[in-house]
DNA sequence: TGTTAGCACTCATGGACGGAGAGTGCTAAT
DNA sequence: ATTAGCACTCTCCGTCCATGAGTGCTAACA
């Protein structure tokens, strides 16, 4: 593709992204000073359509970018947008409060992303499987029910209800908690699978059954699983997009986005990959074939531990979204790292 | 209002709830065997409109119930629907799994309610302020950051990050945890405010600062506050309602429902009141003036500790929604009570 | 006096029609 | 290779009209 075609493609994408209407040759020649007439542009556009970068909704309409066109744009043409000072300040200042809960920041991130981009934003909380075991505490609830509180070095907390095979005194629960904490400290999800507790010290022998149950429980419940808590922002922003005027289409999409497993799997897929962009049909879900998803990974220390993302129409302001996501992920990483190390 | 008028009002509401179209006199006379002609019904309908129970969208259309009409129906005419065996079984069987987290059940409740009613459902997790302090555990995260895990007798867990005025050894954190657990055990949110720790035993004297900080923190953070975690189901069901065909209207509503504070306050308002019904303008939010909200409270033991609800158009199947909510709240109460006592 | 049949009137709905406008592709001239 | 000119296409939008559901009123009826 020669340079002139690229310029025209870029012009069309720029116009289309902001207007949402098919773009005609005259519009381009008027709005961009390319030094060529509408007729020439028409010929070039015809070529671009031929090679699949543009599409025509109907004969006498202008052209719109195809998925292939967007892909080319994202990979080759796009310059990452410089954010405005206000926008940068908005992100930074959002993270300046000292929260009492990790979730607060993740939730905040989703809200900020959506309000900065006007698209739907999603965020995953740090993934427990990617961090190391730090502390375990058993707390009695009823006769045989205990609450198992797990803490990892990234400050993640997980609460699980466990039913014990027999009643255990609170004092002994504490001792067992300390014992298990020692046993598991510093291990990651994989290493936990290999812990066994065959030779117990004397004092724990009478709780062999209970401890076995607890270790089994840990083995079962710390496996990688796609059901992380999902936080959302601006779910309804999609309703502002003219291409989603169709109620049935929008309903199908919103239904999909409501499912935690779906968001979770879309984001998990891209963890640790830096910034990713999936355009239209590249997404695995049929209902999202008119959407693009941009994701970024955040870290605690050196661990890539969570993912955030923006979901919008394929006609998305890619350069801005990428800039916002990049800065947000970096800032979030800094803040969390500061907090937990 | 005489009996015949009531019968006609009931008939109109029945028809309108299922069709969503204004109801004419002929429809009523055809579909219900009231032994009177359309003309008579017309006169009665005219009276009902006069007294504010019915409305007419335009001159040559049928009538639809007004908010006052629905209110009369809910208070006086409605018979609570008997649920089908399958529906009862569905609710019961949903709660038969043993979850490892309390949240699982609350989330499940929202999903079940929405799929049984085809409206939007919301659920609040048990409110920490309504239950009694049971256990406190401090877990070190970084030099001065500690994680405070709070557990109440209803099995609720809350995790808070606290910054300590100075570094404390893990062993001492444990001792402080035990100390505070003893101090606060059994107290409710209000009583916690009155705890003071002026005369410390000798061994804790050197942590006076730290303990003071922690107690202060508890005082500040266990206050009643409207920011409970909200769980949702079927958010998009509202899009199936013909009266919400209007994108702007639906967007305003969905935006409102996306806000946790809003749902939280709507539900908290009705905690402990059994089944409540708010119709149209009775709701405090402008955007919800075409919606009705039905809520129910669930308990753990004897404590009314959380609320669930269904949000739909004013043209709602009140009798079914109330039946479903009632059974769901009762079943959820049983299950949670069983679990935590 | 309450009920009903008959009838003229009202109003939303939806399809047909047609002009305006935007954009294209082709051809011929530059 | 580029461009001006032009005929052609197709959507969009407003207007018009027929249809039909439903009403209110009047007069007759039990």
């Amino acid at each position: 593709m020669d340079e002139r075609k690229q310029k025209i493609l870029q012009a069309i994408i720029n116009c289309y992204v902001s207007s949402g209407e098919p773009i005609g040759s005259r519009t381009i020649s008027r709005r961009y000073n390319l030094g060529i007439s509408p007729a020439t542009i028409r010929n070039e556009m015809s070529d671009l359509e031929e090679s699949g970068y543009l599409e025509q909704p109907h004969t006498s309409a202008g052209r719109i970018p195809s998925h292939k066109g967007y892909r080319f744009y994202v990979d080759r043409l796009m310059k990452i947008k410089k954010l405005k000072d206000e926008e940068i300040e908005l992100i930074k200042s959002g993270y300046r409060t000292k929260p009492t809960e990790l979730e607060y920041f993740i939730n905040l991130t989703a809200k900020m992303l959506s309000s900065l981009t006007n698209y739907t934003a999603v965020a995953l909380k740090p993934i427990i499987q990617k961090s190391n075991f730090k502390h375990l505490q058993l707390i009695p609830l009823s006769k045989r029910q205990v609450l198992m509180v797990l803490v990892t070095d990234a400050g993640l907390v997980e609460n699980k209800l466990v039913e014990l095979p027999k009643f255990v005194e609170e004092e002994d629960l504490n001792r067992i908690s300390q014992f298990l904490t020692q046993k598991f400290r510093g291990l990651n999800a994989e290493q936990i699978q290999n812990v066994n507790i065959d030779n117990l010290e004397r004092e724990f022998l009478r709780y062999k059954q209970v401890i076995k149950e607890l270790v089994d429980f840990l083995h079962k419940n710390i496996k990688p699983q796609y059901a992380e808590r999902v936080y959302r922002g601006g779910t309804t922003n999609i309703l502002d997009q003219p291409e989603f005027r169709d109620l049935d289409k929008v309903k199908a999409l919103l239904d999909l986005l409501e499912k935690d497993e779906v968001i979770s799997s879309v984001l998990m897929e891209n963890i640790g990959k830096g910034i990713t962009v999936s355009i239209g049909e590249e997404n695995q879900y049929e209902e999202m074939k008119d959407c693009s998803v941009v994701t970024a990974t955040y870290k605690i220390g050196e661990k890539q531990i969570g993912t955030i993302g923006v979901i919008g129409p394929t006609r998305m302001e890619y350069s801005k979204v990428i800039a916002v996501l990049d800065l947000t992920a970096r800032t979030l990483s800094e803040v969390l790292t500061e907090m937990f190390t």
Side-chain angles (χ1 to χ4, degrees), chain A residues 152-247:
Chain A
T152 78
D153 57 357
L156 287 190
V157 189
E158 200 96 344
N159 311 303
K160 309 266 183 196
L161 293 169
V162 196
E163 185 149 353
L164 296 183
K166 65 173 182 183
F167 174 73
V168 181
E169 290 288 346
E170 180 161 2
E171 217 168 294
D172 289 331
L173 281 181
N174 278 332
R175 241 174 267 141
I176 296 175
S177 300
Q178 279 174 33
F179 170 72
L180 290 175
T181 299
Q182 268 177 31
K183 270 281 181 200
F184 287 99
R185 175 160 288 178
L187 304 186
N188 64 25
E190 213 173 311
Q191 294 166 322
I192 285 177
Q193 301 297 323
N194 302 325
V195 171
N196 69 61
I197 41 93
D198 284 343
N199 30 8
L200 283 173
E201 287 104 77
R202 233 184 51 229
E203 62 166 322
F204 292 114
L205 271 181
R206 60 184 170 131
Y207 290 122
K208 189 161 182 177
Q209 269 308 103
V210 172
I211 292 179
K212 196 168 151 15
E213 180 75 24
L214 288 167
V215 172
D216 268 8
F217 184 90
L218 280 170
H219 286 169
K220 269 195 218 113
N221 284 279
I222 310 293
K223 282 204 180 123
Q225 53 197 349
Y226 274 18
E228 295 300 322
R229 263 286 284 135
V230 170
Y231 294 80
R232 295 176 178 77
T235 335
T236 60
N237 284 356
I238 200 76
L239 291 171
D240 294 332
Q241 303 299 333
E243 48 267 72
F244 286 88
R245 284 252 151 257
D246 178 19
L247 267 174

Side-chain angles (χ1 to χ4, degrees), chain A residues 16-272:
Chain A
Y16 184 63
V17 162
S18 60
S19 76
E21 311 264 282
I23 308 300
S25 52
R26 247 179 69 81
T27 314
I28 297 294
S29 89
R30 231 186 307 117
R31 214 149 338 153
Y32 294 81
N33 227 341
L34 299 178
I36 43 181
S37 77
T40 311
I41 296 178
R42 272 207 288 287
N43 289 328
E44 296 286 38
M45 280 165 86
S46 185
D47 292 355
L48 282 167
E49 186 177 357
E50 187 88 7
S51 25
Y53 295 101
L54 293 179
E55 282 168 0
Q56 206 169 14
H58 58 266
T59 334
S60 70
R63 304 298 209 295
I64 61 174
S66 66
H67 298 159
K68 187 174 170 190
Y70 284 123
R71 175 48 67 195
F72 187 85
Y73 169 78
V74 168
D75 291 344
R76 310 272 302 272
L77 303 177
M78 178 181 63
K79 284 177 264 315
I80 304 289
K81 189 172 172 179
K82 280 254 185 299
L83 293 178
K84 294 198 206 97
D85 286 348
E86 307 99 83
E87 295 171 320
I88 296 175
E89 182 47 30
L90 202 69
I91 295 175
K92 300 266 183 198
S93 71
Y95 290 114
R96 272 205 269 278
T97 38
K98 282 259 170 214
T100 61
E101 285 164 35
L102 170 63
E103 281 81 0
Y104 171 86
F105 269 158
I106 309 301
N107 189 33
L108 175 75
T109 303
K111 304 294 181 221
M112 284 203 313
L113 280 177
S114 68
S115 80
L116 279 164
T117 59
N118 292 315
Y119 302 120
T120 300
V122 288
L124 234 47
K125 77 182 222 188
I127 292 159
I128 198 157
Q129 285 80 20
K130 300 259 171 186
S131 56
N132 298 332
F133 190 94
K134 177 153 198 169
H135 194 102
L136 180 152
Q137 178 74 37
L138 298 167
I139 298 169
L141 283 179
S142 57
K143 240 181 290 172
R144 281 167 47 198
Q145 293 269 7
V146 300
L147 186 75
M148 179 191 281
V149 181
L150 294 173
V151 184
T152 78
D153 57 357
L156 287 190
V157 189
E158 200 96 344
N159 311 303
K160 309 266 183 196
L161 293 169
V162 196
E163 185 149 353
L164 296 183
K166 65 173 182 183
F167 174 73
V168 181
E169 290 288 346
E170 180 161 2
E171 217 168 294
D172 289 331
L173 281 181
N174 278 332
R175 241 174 267 141
I176 296 175
S177 300
Q178 279 174 33
F179 170 72
L180 290 175
T181 299
Q182 268 177 31
K183 270 281 181 200
F184 287 99
R185 175 160 288 178
L187 304 186
N188 64 25
E190 213 173 311
Q191 294 166 322
I192 285 177
Q193 301 297 323
N194 302 325
V195 171
N196 69 61
I197 41 93
D198 284 343
N199 30 8
L200 283 173
E201 287 104 77
R202 233 184 51 229
E203 62 166 322
F204 292 114
L205 271 181
R206 60 184 170 131
Y207 290 122
K208 189 161 182 177
Q209 269 308 103
V210 172
I211 292 179
K212 196 168 151 15
E213 180 75 24
L214 288 167
V215 172
D216 268 8
F217 184 90
L218 280 170
H219 286 169
K220 269 195 218 113
N221 284 279
I222 310 293
K223 282 204 180 123
Q225 53 197 349
Y226 274 18
E228 295 300 322
R229 263 286 284 135
V230 170
Y231 294 80
R232 295 176 178 77
T235 335
T236 60
N237 284 356
I238 200 76
L239 291 171
D240 294 332
Q241 303 299 333
E243 48 267 72
F244 286 88
R245 284 252 151 257
D246 178 19
L247 267 174
D248 292 330
K249 202 164 139 191
V250 104
K251 162 115 165 104
L253 179 60
L254 287 179
D255 274 348
L256 189 75
L257 298 185
E258 197 191 334
K259 297 196 183 116
D260 284 1
E261 324 84 74
V262 170
I263 303 295
S264 184
S265 86
V266 167
L267 289 181
M268 291 284 278
E269 206 169 85
N270 294 314
I271 192 167

Side-chain angles (χ1 to χ4, degrees), chain A residues 306-319:
Chain A
T307 314
I308 59 182
V310 168
I311 302 170
T314 44
R315 183 180 69 79
M316 180 194 268
E317 275 193 76
Y318 293 97
S319 64

